[in-house]
Every structure is written in C-alpha cells, then in structure tokens.
Amino acid sequence: MVRVTVPVPGRPYDVTIGAGLLRDLGEHLPDLPGATTAFVISDRTVADLHHATVARAIEDRGLASVLLLVPEGEEAKSLQAYESLLRQLAGREAHRDDTVLALGGGAVGDLAGFVASTYMRGVPFIQVPTTLTAQVDAAIGGKTAVNLPEGKNLVGTFTQPVAVVSDVEALATLDERDFRSGLAEVAKYALTLDPDLLAMLERDPGPVVRRDAAVLEGVIARCVAAKARIVAADERDASARLVLNYGHTLGHALERLDSFRGRTHGEAVAHGMVFAAALAESRGLAPGLRARTERLLGSLGIAPDGDLPPVDEVLLCVRLDKKYRDGVRWVLLEDAGRPVVVDDVSDREVAAALHEMGAPA
Ligand SMILES: NC(=O)c1ccc[n+]([C@@H]2O[C@H](COP(=O)([O-])OP(=O)(O)OC[C@H]3O[C@@H](n4cnc5c(N)ncnc54)[C@H](O)[C@@H]3O)[C@@H](O)[C@H]2O)c1
Ligand SMILES: [Zn+2]
C-alpha cells in the first residue's frame, strides 16, 4: 500500500493506492464529523462488481450507505443526471456533514464531484476510482464537470476531495481498451515528468500490461505524485498545469473530429504525443524522441494507427481548443522529462508534422 499526499494549500488530502483496499475502505476514509450517511454514486456495471463490498465497509464505520445509480460513461455527465442526483439527496434529507462518494471511472467522479461541490454549497467528497484513467488522472486534482450539448466539461467547479482510495485489484475487470486508454496517461507522466518511470516502462512493460497488482500500485503512485506536484503548485488551470496537457492539444482535436471512429481518449492522446515529438524534432529539440515515443506506446499496446483526418480540419479544430489564448500553446519536450510550453508554432509547422505522420492534405 502506498500513500501520496496532494499538498493543496489549506486542504491537503491523501491518495491511498493498493490491492484489495475496497474491502478495508473504512480504514482509509478520513474523519467525517457529523456524517450519518455516505451517498455512493456509481453506475450499474461498477455497482454490480463493488457496491456490496463498499456498503459493508461504510456500515462498519457506523454510517448508513445509500446507492444512487447514474448512466454509464459520458452519459452520466449531463445536467439531467446532475439534477436527478441533487433531488435524490434532498429527498433523502442529506445534510451538509454527510458525504458523497464516487465509485467508478472518471465520468462518475466528474459528476459526483460536481454534485458534492454544489449540494448545500458543498459537502465532503470522496473519490474511489475504479478505472486506470481515473486512478492516475481524473480522481486527482479537483476538477469536476458535466457536459452541455455544446461541448464537453463546460460546467463544473474546482473542488478537492477529502480522500482518494484506489484499489488496483478493481482494474482486473476493466475492458482492455479502457485499460490501455489509461496507459496512454501513464506514458504521458513518464515522458513529461518522471524519467525513472519512463526507464522502468522501457526496461520491462510486461507486468504493467499484464496488470500485475504490485507493479501497478507503484506505477499509479508515481503518476499520482507527479500530478500532485503540478496541482499543488497551481490548483487552477494555468501555466504549470498545461504540462498535464501533453499530447492533448492534438488529442482533443482528433476526439472531436473523429468521434465516429470511436477512438478512445487515450488512443487520441497517443497520436498527440507522437505528433508533439515530431514537432519537437522538427524544431531541433529532443532528437530521437518520436521513435522512442512510438516504441514506448507500442510496448504498452497503444501505438497510434496513423489514421488521421485531413490537415486543414485538424488545424481548424486545434485553434478551437480551450487552451487557445492568443495562439495555440503547445507542450513540447526538450527531452524526456523536460517539458516546455511554446506559443510560436506556425500552422505550416503543424501541417508539416501532420503530413509526416501520414495525414492527408
Ligand atoms: N477531472 C479530471 O481531471 C479528469 C481527467 C481525465 C478524465 N476525466 C474525465 O473522465 C472521463 C473518462 O473516465 P474513464 O476513462 O474512467 O471512463 P468512464 O468513467 O467513462 O468509464 C468507462 C467504463 O468503464 C466501466 N468501469 C469502470 N470501472 C470498471 C471496472 N473496475 N471494471 C469494469 N468496468 C469498469 C464503466 O462502467 C464505464 O462503462 C471523461 O468524462 C473525462 O472527461 C476527468
Ligand atoms: Zn487525458
């Protein structure tokens, strides 16, 4: 078991990572003074797998446990689901000392966090992430969100949880594509912020790909520690947090452009990281980074398929990215572990790198 503290000024919290933690969840929860009930927000799939265990642990702590189900995946992140949860809390007379506990992937966590941060102006919020993406990324850092028909994550808050408990054994039942999508974020941390993790993955990716619990525990802890360093320095979205967006500027554009292809977020980000490496190399930075990135992603089972939309469409979409501010800011690497943010990349350079990756004109 590993514990990482996210040292957000004024409200630090612990992330506990280990195998079998759901069974002993009660021991890893913080004090919840005045709480009588934990409202567990989850979806059908995750609830069928884990709710009984979690409810028992909560009851062992002397709290009542109430399950509130939401739709699966992105469907959960709607204003309708949000309103429905608020009304269920009010209908059950949830009070401000009660706690909301998110049990599920990033979608459940984003929605539950938004509910917890706004119901009665905020109640304590606990994250129990069950996907790799949520354990290394979504559950850490305090961003909550729901979607509008006009776009993803357009409504939300910055609200830190009081605790995060990540059971690596829960990852065993994750669909292969969802797991590999999470590995793209792991690769992102390794390439941008953690050279030791990169070396470890390059030496022997096998145990990670096979979901060896002991190895995953260490890998997830390193990713959480990397994100914690960034988030503590800069809780809100500003320059330091941009590094976490490595591979995401192109990744988001691809997700928007080819939703019909059904590429996962991680698959889109994998393309984005290879692209960022190509762009860096074209500027004389990080020689060999593109091949190294492709090798790493290939060994993790998330090598980009090279199927890219036309260059003009990508350029248009990139300019619409929410990180756009007087020009697109790209996160590039001077070398592995040395991220830089650059704002002087021309459309021509982007187009050339896209062509090089096989994008049609
Ligand atoms: N707040 C943040 O900082 C942040 C960061 C990254 C991503 N996100 C958000 O997270 C969401 C993506 O999260 P995700 O990748 O975890 O996917 P997800 O939450 O959509 O879950 C994917 C699927 O996995 C299933 N699932 C979850 N845990 C399982 C388990 N242990 N075994 C079997 N199936 C399981 C779920 O039922 C769901 O069908 C997006 O909405 C994204 O915007 C937020
Ligand atoms: Zn991401």
Side-chain angles (χ1 to χ4, degrees):
M1 193 184 87
V2 191
R3 191 159 286 152
V4 179
T5 300
V6 184
V8 180
R11 47 194 180 296
Y13 56 98
D14 282 344
V15 183
T16 312
I17 304 141
L21 295 189
L22 289 184
R23 285 190 292 279
D24 309 318
L25 184 63
E27 289 168 29
H28 304 294
L29 298 181
D31 276 346
L32 296 164
T36 51
T37 306
F39 291 89
V40 178
I41 298 180
S42 193
D43 65 34
R44 185 80 268 165
T45 301
V46 180
D48 282 350
L49 288 162
H50 300 301
H51 176 251
T53 311
V54 167
R56 208 174 308 121
I58 289 169
E59 281 155 16
D60 285 350
R61 276 281 300 252
L63 298 176
S65 171
V66 173
L67 174 64
L68 304 177
L69 285 175
V70 298
E72 291 215 3
E74 221 42 42
E75 293 288 294
K77 290 172 59 173
S78 72
L79 286 174
Q80 290 86 329
Y82 169 66
E83 181 183 2
S84 164
L85 288 173
L86 293 178
R87 296 194 58 190
Q88 290 179 74
L89 290 174
R92 288 168 180 276
E93 297 181 5
H95 59 79
R96 69 180 73 251
D97 296 326
D98 283 337
T99 183
V100 167
L101 186 150
L103 175 67
V108 162
D110 277 11
L111 169 68
F114 186 45
V115 167
S117 70
T118 50
Y119 180 72
M120 289 191 159
R121 302 193 183 85
V123 299
F125 175 48
I126 295 165
Q127 287 269 22
V128 182
T130 60
T131 65
L132 183 58
T133 300
Q135 292 189 357
V136 298
D137 191 1
I140 318 299
K143 282 189 184 179
T144 79
V146 296
N147 304 327
L148 295 180
E150 286 76 10
K152 240 176 94 76
N153 298 333
L154 288 182
V155 184
T157 55
F158 279 93
T159 308
Q160 302 296 336
V162 294
V164 182
V165 182
S166 293
D167 186 343
V168 293
E169 275 179 8
L171 303 180
T173 51
L174 207 55
D175 171 81
E176 188 62 26
R177 272 188 95 195
D178 283 331
F179 182 73
R180 289 182 188 235
S181 189
L183 286 180
E185 304 289 349
V186 171
K188 175 193 78 178
Y189 291 114
L191 286 163
T192 53
L193 294 164
D194 191 339
D196 290 342
L197 177 59
L198 179 60
M200 189 210 123
L201 293 173
E202 289 181 327
R203 209 179 315 114
D204 187 9
V208 174
V209 173
R210 288 194 301 276
R211 310 188 199 185
D212 179 289
V215 172
L216 276 179
E217 176 182 299
V219 166
I220 292 165
R222 297 198 73 102
C223 295
V224 169
K227 185 159 184 181
R229 286 198 297 278
I230 298 279
V231 168
D234 179 9
E235 186 184 0
R236 295 192 164 248
D237 223 1
S239 45
R241 208 157 168 159
L242 264 183
V243 171
L244 300 169
N245 228 37
Y246 185 63
H248 281 59
T249 304
L250 181 71
H252 286 150
L254 292 180
E255 279 184 280
R256 275 207 300 273
L257 282 170
D258 62 16
S259 51
F260 65 90
R261 284 194 182 84
R263 202 141 29 198
T264 65
H265 175 71
E267 287 160 358
V269 170
H271 281 81
M273 292 189 289
V274 172
F275 172 78
L279 201 54
E281 285 191 22
S282 76
R283 307 193 125 209
L285 306 168
L289 181 65
R290 178 176 169 183
R292 191 175 180 189
T293 304
E294 285 175 330
R295 259 196 318 278
L296 174 70
L297 296 175
S299 73
L300 297 174
I302 38 168
D305 58 16
D307 184 12
L308 292 170
V311 170
D312 285 351
E313 285 180 30
V314 178
L315 280 174
L316 197 66
C317 209
V318 158
R319 283 192 221 109
L320 295 175
D321 190 274
K322 67 174 185 239
K323 302 294 186 283
Y324 178 84
R325 189 185 288 167
D326 307 325
V328 181
R329 293 189 290 172
W330 292 91
V331 182
L332 300 180
L333 299 181
E334 290 178 333
D335 199 355
R338 283 175 34 216
V340 282
V341 176
V342 294
D343 57 8
D344 62 342
V345 179
S346 67
D347 282 1
R348 189 192 297 238
E349 283 178 273
V350 174
L354 283 169
H355 277 308
E356 211 186 297
M357 283 182 69

